[in-house]
Amino acid sequence: MSKLNIILPCAGAGTRLGLPYPKEVFILEQDKALIDYTFSALLTEKDFVKSVTIVLTPEKVSIVSYLKKWSDYFYIRFCYFNPKYTEWAGSIRSSAEDFSDKNVVLLPDSIITPEKGCPILGKFDELLNENDIVFAYKFEKDPDKLKNLGAVEISAAGAVKRFCDKPQSKHELYNAFWCSFGFRKEIGDSLLQMMQNSIAKKSVDLADISKKIGSFPVESYRDLGTWESIEGFHRIRNE
């Protein structure tokens, strides 16, 4: 089977940090920028990676030169955000021409720690052989956290039953959030259209689509897109 195309949506304005340059190249520690943590994680599972697709806007073109440091390790390609789309789901849809048979979306301002013995890309590669869509998730029931995350409902058998991006009500419907997701090329556009619906706070019932959906849990997830989370990251590093 084919290897994975990794999609990093970097077209966001980064308003939470309010930096005068792309947040992805914000140096967090020891000359390591936010986006370097994602590439470092990819390097540990390099054998599963076919390509890395970066979606950006003209204002964030400095990311291209910054990522030259990784060009000896990965085939990196860039595409511009298509303004006919919106939000992060539209950012991913903008790269549709570069979709491979199997694709995995990682957020460039976050760190995912896999469960022991369950490497993230290896698990996506395995599950996308048999499924159309795959979610990596972390259990969570705190409404204050779910309202700022991509909430999902995971059944006792591990099935993903529904999802909604940052739900502002009915939090009891969800018991986890997605940290990353993967999809087969043929389902990409319709899945991302559903995700755009969820960004509009419409809960998406996955029972309504006749597609195979897999999932697996991760040990931890850290969003580094706010100053509060960055301060927490440094605090843990210094303990």
Side-chain angles (χ1 to χ4, degrees):
M1 296 295 289
S2 61
K3 294 184 178 182
L4 305 172
N5 172 45
I6 310 300
I7 304 171
L8 302 184
C10 298
T15 55
R16 295 185 298 171
L17 291 182
L19 296 168
Y21 53 84
K23 66 178 179 178
E24 291 83 2
V25 297
F26 171 70
I27 302 299
L28 202 57
E29 58 174 353
Q30 299 175 344
D31 297 324
K32 198 171 185 179
L34 283 177
I35 200 167
D36 287 322
Y37 290 88
T38 298
F39 272 90
S40 293
L42 294 178
L43 193 60
T44 66
E45 299 189 68
K46 185 177 182 296
D47 289 345
F48 292 104
V49 180
K50 172 187 178 183
S51 55
V52 181
T53 302
I54 312 290
V55 185
L56 41 69
T57 58
E59 296 77 20
K60 304 183 80 171
V61 73
S62 60
I63 293 174
V64 177
S65 56
Y66 182 83
L67 290 178
K68 184 178 179 181
K69 63 194 287 187
W70 291 104
S71 61
D72 288 339
Y73 302 95
F74 301 101
Y75 169 48
I76 304 174
R77 51 194 178 184
F78 301 89
C79 70
Y80 282 131
F81 177 82
N82 188 329
K84 77 177 182 180
Y85 299 134
T86 58
E87 296 283 352
W88 56 263
S91 183
I92 301 163
R93 289 181 81 187
S94 298
S95 71
E97 290 188 4
D98 293 321
F99 286 172
S100 295
D101 290 340
K102 296 187 289 186
N103 307 273
V104 173
V105 175
L106 294 173
L107 302 181
D109 57 356
S110 63
I111 298 176
I112 304 174
T113 303
E115 288 194 334
K116 187 176 181 180
C118 184
I120 291 175
L121 297 188
K123 199 64 179 176
F124 271 119
D125 183 66
E126 172 193 342
L127 292 177
L128 283 171
N129 286 334
E130 304 296 334
N131 294 276
D132 301 295
I133 307 165
V134 175
F135 288 91
Y137 66 87
K138 180 79 173 66
F139 282 117
E140 180 60 66
K141 288 189 175 182
D142 184 344
D144 289 334
K145 293 182 179 179
L146 288 175
K147 69 181 182 181
N148 293 305
L149 296 164
V152 293
E153 179 189 3
I154 306 293
S155 74
V160 182
K161 300 179 68 175
R162 73 180 75 234
F163 65 78
C164 184
D165 191 66
K166 301 177 182 178
Q168 300 304 297
S169 62
K170 298 183 178 180
H171 302 108
E172 68 279 2
L173 295 177
Y174 310 98
N175 60 357
F177 62 90
W178 65 261
C179 310
S180 176
F181 66 92
F183 59 89
R184 307 260 329 164
K185 181 177 182 178
E186 56 269 22
I187 189 66
D189 192 65
S190 57
L191 169 66
L192 291 163
Q193 179 58 61
M194 286 189 292
M195 287 192 156
Q196 284 196 278
N197 291 340
S198 82
I199 291 171
K201 305 300 179 288
K202 300 175 183 177
S203 180
V204 176
D205 190 340
L206 292 172
D208 292 341
I209 62 173
S210 57
K211 299 296 179 183
K212 293 182 179 179
I213 304 172
S215 69
F216 64 96
V218 302
E219 181 179 313
S220 66
Y221 173 86
R222 180 175 290 274
D223 172 12
L224 294 174
T226 67
W227 290 115
E228 181 181 6
S229 61
I230 288 173
E231 290 170 3
F233 174 84
H234 284 304
R235 200 161 45 242
I236 292 173
R237 278 287 202 268
N238 295 326
E239 287 179 352

PDB file of all heavy atoms in Angstrom, residues 112-131:
ATOM      1  N   ILE A 112       1.565  15.746  19.925  1.00  0.00           N
ATOM      2  CA  ILE A 112       0.815  14.537  20.273  1.00  0.00           C
ATOM      3  C   ILE A 112       1.789  13.487  20.791  1.00  0.00           C
ATOM      4  O   ILE A 112       2.800  13.207  20.144  1.00  0.00           O
ATOM      5  CB  ILE A 112       0.062  13.966  19.058  1.00  0.00           C
ATOM      6  CG1 ILE A 112      -0.867  15.014  18.444  1.00  0.00           C
ATOM      7  CG2 ILE A 112      -0.741  12.725  19.456  1.00  0.00           C
ATOM      8  CD1 ILE A 112      -1.526  14.567  17.145  1.00  0.00           C
ATOM      9  N   THR A 113       1.487  12.925  21.954  1.00  0.00           N
ATOM     10  CA  THR A 113       2.290  11.840  22.493  1.00  0.00           C
ATOM     11  C   THR A 113       1.519  10.536  22.307  1.00  0.00           C
ATOM     12  O   THR A 113       0.402  10.407  22.817  1.00  0.00           O
ATOM     13  CB  THR A 113       2.578  12.044  23.994  1.00  0.00           C
ATOM     14  OG1 THR A 113       3.227  13.314  24.169  1.00  0.00           O
ATOM     15  CG2 THR A 113       3.469  10.931  24.534  1.00  0.00           C
ATOM     16  N   PRO A 114       2.072   9.586  21.569  1.00  0.00           N
ATOM     17  CA  PRO A 114       1.331   8.333  21.325  1.00  0.00           C
ATOM     18  C   PRO A 114       1.325   7.438  22.555  1.00  0.00           C
ATOM     19  O   PRO A 114       2.162   7.585  23.456  1.00  0.00           O
ATOM     20  CB  PRO A 114       2.132   7.685  20.188  1.00  0.00           C
ATOM     21  CG  PRO A 114       3.523   8.196  20.386  1.00  0.00           C
ATOM     22  CD  PRO A 114       3.384   9.600  20.899  1.00  0.00           C
ATOM     23  N   GLU A 115       0.375   6.539  22.601  1.00  0.00           N
ATOM     24  CA  GLU A 115       0.399   5.519  23.645  1.00  0.00           C
ATOM     25  C   GLU A 115       1.574   4.577  23.393  1.00  0.00           C
ATOM     26  O   GLU A 115       2.001   4.395  22.249  1.00  0.00           O
ATOM     27  CB  GLU A 115      -0.919   4.730  23.653  1.00  0.00           C
ATOM     28  CG  GLU A 115      -2.097   5.524  24.179  1.00  0.00           C
ATOM     29  CD  GLU A 115      -3.286   4.638  24.504  1.00  0.00           C
ATOM     30  OE1 GLU A 115      -3.405   3.547  23.904  1.00  0.00           O
ATOM     31  OE2 GLU A 115      -4.099   5.023  25.370  1.00  0.00           O
ATOM     32  N   LYS A 116       2.109   4.020  24.444  1.00  0.00           N
ATOM     33  CA  LYS A 116       3.264   3.147  24.320  1.00  0.00           C
ATOM     34  C   LYS A 116       2.962   1.990  23.364  1.00  0.00           C
ATOM     35  O   LYS A 116       1.936   1.326  23.462  1.00  0.00           O
ATOM     36  CB  LYS A 116       3.649   2.590  25.694  1.00  0.00           C
ATOM     37  CG  LYS A 116       4.951   1.793  25.693  1.00  0.00           C
ATOM     38  CD  LYS A 116       5.326   1.363  27.104  1.00  0.00           C
ATOM     39  CE  LYS A 116       6.640   0.594  27.089  1.00  0.00           C
ATOM     40  NZ  LYS A 116       7.034   0.153  28.471  1.00  0.00           N
ATOM     41  N   GLY A 117       3.845   1.779  22.421  1.00  0.00           N
ATOM     42  CA  GLY A 117       3.684   0.679  21.470  1.00  0.00           C
ATOM     43  C   GLY A 117       2.685   0.957  20.364  1.00  0.00           C
ATOM     44  O   GLY A 117       2.310   0.045  19.623  1.00  0.00           O
ATOM     45  N   CYS A 118       2.246   2.231  20.260  1.00  0.00           N
ATOM     46  CA  CYS A 118       1.249   2.571  19.234  1.00  0.00           C
ATOM     47  C   CYS A 118       1.687   3.821  18.483  1.00  0.00           C
ATOM     48  O   CYS A 118       1.118   4.898  18.657  1.00  0.00           O
ATOM     49  CB  CYS A 118      -0.117   2.779  19.883  1.00  0.00           C
ATOM     50  SG  CYS A 118      -1.471   3.088  18.726  1.00  0.00           S
ATOM     51  N   PRO A 119       2.719   3.730  17.650  1.00  0.00           N
ATOM     52  CA  PRO A 119       3.202   4.895  16.914  1.00  0.00           C
ATOM     53  C   PRO A 119       2.096   5.485  16.044  1.00  0.00           C
ATOM     54  O   PRO A 119       1.344   4.760  15.398  1.00  0.00           O
ATOM     55  CB  PRO A 119       4.350   4.336  16.069  1.00  0.00           C
ATOM     56  CG  PRO A 119       4.072   2.870  15.962  1.00  0.00           C
ATOM     57  CD  PRO A 119       3.439   2.492  17.266  1.00  0.00           C
ATOM     58  N   ILE A 120       1.999   6.801  16.039  1.00  0.00           N
ATOM     59  CA  ILE A 120       0.864   7.467  15.411  1.00  0.00           C
ATOM     60  C   ILE A 120       0.780   7.227  13.911  1.00  0.00           C
ATOM     61  O   ILE A 120      -0.255   6.785  13.388  1.00  0.00           O
ATOM     62  CB  ILE A 120       0.906   8.977  15.722  1.00  0.00           C
ATOM     63  CG1 ILE A 120       0.608   9.184  17.209  1.00  0.00           C
ATOM     64  CG2 ILE A 120      -0.114   9.736  14.877  1.00  0.00           C
ATOM     65  CD1 ILE A 120       0.745  10.610  17.674  1.00  0.00           C
ATOM     66  N   LEU A 121       1.848   7.493  13.180  1.00  0.00           N
ATOM     67  CA  LEU A 121       1.786   7.311  11.726  1.00  0.00           C
ATOM     68  C   LEU A 121       1.637   5.845  11.352  1.00  0.00           C
ATOM     69  O   LEU A 121       0.944   5.503  10.396  1.00  0.00           O
ATOM     70  CB  LEU A 121       3.030   7.898  11.062  1.00  0.00           C
ATOM     71  CG  LEU A 121       3.229   9.408  11.209  1.00  0.00           C
ATOM     72  CD1 LEU A 121       4.387   9.874  10.337  1.00  0.00           C
ATOM     73  CD2 LEU A 121       1.961  10.180  10.858  1.00  0.00           C
ATOM     74  N   GLY A 122       2.294   4.985  12.111  1.00  0.00           N
ATOM     75  CA  GLY A 122       2.152   3.553  11.853  1.00  0.00           C
ATOM     76  C   GLY A 122       0.719   3.092  12.021  1.00  0.00           C
ATOM     77  O   GLY A 122       0.211   2.268  11.246  1.00  0.00           O
ATOM     78  N   LYS A 123       0.046   3.654  13.026  1.00  0.00           N
ATOM     79  CA  LYS A 123      -1.350   3.286  13.267  1.00  0.00           C
ATOM     80  C   LYS A 123      -2.253   3.826  12.164  1.00  0.00           C
ATOM     81  O   LYS A 123      -3.156   3.133  11.681  1.00  0.00           O
ATOM     82  CB  LYS A 123      -1.805   3.816  14.625  1.00  0.00           C
ATOM     83  CG  LYS A 123      -3.048   3.134  15.170  1.00  0.00           C
ATOM     84  CD  LYS A 123      -2.798   1.658  15.450  1.00  0.00           C
ATOM     85  CE  LYS A 123      -4.027   0.978  16.023  1.00  0.00           C
ATOM     86  NZ  LYS A 123      -3.817  -0.476  16.216  1.00  0.00           N
ATOM     87  N   PHE A 124      -2.008   5.077  11.738  1.00  0.00           N
ATOM     88  CA  PHE A 124      -2.787   5.622  10.625  1.00  0.00           C
ATOM     89  C   PHE A 124      -2.583   4.781   9.370  1.00  0.00           C
ATOM     90  O   PHE A 124      -3.537   4.447   8.657  1.00  0.00           O
ATOM     91  CB  PHE A 124      -2.375   7.066  10.342  1.00  0.00           C
ATOM     92  CG  PHE A 124      -3.136   8.095  11.136  1.00  0.00           C
ATOM     93  CD1 PHE A 124      -2.478   8.942  12.004  1.00  0.00           C
ATOM     94  CD2 PHE A 124      -4.504   8.222  10.995  1.00  0.00           C
ATOM     95  CE1 PHE A 124      -3.173   9.892  12.734  1.00  0.00           C
ATOM     96  CE2 PHE A 124      -5.223   9.172  11.716  1.00  0.00           C
ATOM     97  CZ  PHE A 124      -4.539  10.010  12.593  1.00  0.00           C
ATOM     98  N   ASP A 125      -1.342   4.438   9.092  1.00  0.00           N
ATOM     99  CA  ASP A 125      -1.034   3.650   7.900  1.00  0.00           C
ATOM    100  C   ASP A 125      -1.774   2.315   7.922  1.00  0.00           C
ATOM    101  O   ASP A 125      -2.372   1.896   6.932  1.00  0.00           O
ATOM    102  CB  ASP A 125       0.469   3.420   7.812  1.00  0.00           C
ATOM    103  CG  ASP A 125       0.874   2.678   6.556  1.00  0.00           C
ATOM    104  OD1 ASP A 125       0.711   3.235   5.459  1.00  0.00           O
ATOM    105  OD2 ASP A 125       1.340   1.527   6.667  1.00  0.00           O
ATOM    106  N   GLU A 126      -1.758   1.671   9.082  1.00  0.00           N
ATOM    107  CA  GLU A 126      -2.436   0.370   9.234  1.00  0.00           C
ATOM    108  C   GLU A 126      -3.938   0.500   9.070  1.00  0.00           C
ATOM    109  O   GLU A 126      -4.569  -0.239   8.292  1.00  0.00           O
ATOM    110  CB  GLU A 126      -2.113  -0.198  10.619  1.00  0.00           C
ATOM    111  CG  GLU A 126      -2.887  -1.448  10.986  1.00  0.00           C
ATOM    112  CD  GLU A 126      -2.780  -1.793  12.463  1.00  0.00           C
ATOM    113  OE1 GLU A 126      -1.852  -1.287  13.142  1.00  0.00           O
ATOM    114  OE2 GLU A 126      -3.638  -2.562  12.948  1.00  0.00           O
ATOM    115  N   LEU A 127      -4.540   1.461   9.786  1.00  0.00           N
ATOM    116  CA  LEU A 127      -6.001   1.569   9.790  1.00  0.00           C
ATOM    117  C   LEU A 127      -6.564   2.120   8.481  1.00  0.00           C
ATOM    118  O   LEU A 127      -7.694   1.779   8.095  1.00  0.00           O
ATOM    119  CB  LEU A 127      -6.454   2.445  10.958  1.00  0.00           C
ATOM    120  CG  LEU A 127      -6.236   1.843  12.359  1.00  0.00           C
ATOM    121  CD1 LEU A 127      -6.643   2.823  13.451  1.00  0.00           C
ATOM    122  CD2 LEU A 127      -7.019   0.533  12.513  1.00  0.00           C
ATOM    123  N   LEU A 128      -5.794   2.942   7.779  1.00  0.00           N
ATOM    124  CA  LEU A 128      -6.278   3.461   6.495  1.00  0.00           C
ATOM    125  C   LEU A 128      -6.236   2.423   5.389  1.00  0.00           C
ATOM    126  O   LEU A 128      -6.772   2.634   4.307  1.00  0.00           O
ATOM    127  CB  LEU A 128      -5.485   4.705   6.089  1.00  0.00           C
ATOM    128  CG  LEU A 128      -5.861   5.991   6.835  1.00  0.00           C
ATOM    129  CD1 LEU A 128      -4.874   7.106   6.522  1.00  0.00           C
ATOM    130  CD2 LEU A 128      -7.297   6.424   6.491  1.00  0.00           C
ATOM    131  N   ASN A 129      -5.616   1.282   5.662  1.00  0.00           N
ATOM    132  CA  ASN A 129      -5.688   0.180   4.705  1.00  0.00           C
ATOM    133  C   ASN A 129      -7.090  -0.424   4.677  1.00  0.00           C
ATOM    134  O   ASN A 129      -7.516  -0.975   3.656  1.00  0.00           O
ATOM    135  CB  ASN A 129      -4.680  -0.916   5.064  1.00  0.00           C
ATOM    136  CG  ASN A 129      -3.261  -0.518   4.737  1.00  0.00           C
ATOM    137  OD1 ASN A 129      -3.028   0.300   3.853  1.00  0.00           O
ATOM    138  ND2 ASN A 129      -2.301  -1.091   5.445  1.00  0.00           N
ATOM    139  N   GLU A 130      -7.800  -0.313   5.812  1.00  0.00           N
ATOM    140  CA  GLU A 130      -9.113  -0.946   5.936  1.00  0.00           C
ATOM    141  C   GLU A 130     -10.253   0.042   6.126  1.00  0.00           C
ATOM    142  O   GLU A 130     -11.416  -0.346   6.067  1.00  0.00           O
ATOM    143  CB  GLU A 130      -9.106  -1.923   7.132  1.00  0.00           C
ATOM    144  CG  GLU A 130      -8.025  -2.997   7.073  1.00  0.00           C
ATOM    145  CD  GLU A 130      -8.223  -3.942   5.897  1.00  0.00           C
ATOM    146  OE1 GLU A 130      -9.377  -4.096   5.455  1.00  0.00           O
ATOM    147  OE2 GLU A 130      -7.223  -4.496   5.412  1.00  0.00           O
ATOM    148  N   ASN A 131      -9.932   1.325   6.384  1.00  0.00           N
ATOM    149  CA  ASN A 131     -10.962   2.321   6.680  1.00  0.00           C
ATOM    150  C   ASN A 131     -10.852   3.519   5.744  1.00  0.00           C
ATOM    151  O   ASN A 131      -9.783   3.811   5.209  1.00  0.00           O
ATOM    152  CB  ASN A 131     -10.833   2.809   8.131  1.00  0.00           C
ATOM    153  CG  ASN A 131     -11.117   1.712   9.138  1.00  0.00           C
ATOM    154  OD1 ASN A 131     -12.266   1.450   9.470  1.00  0.00           O
ATOM    155  ND2 ASN A 131     -10.058   1.074   9.634  1.00  0.00           N
TER     156      ASN A 131
END
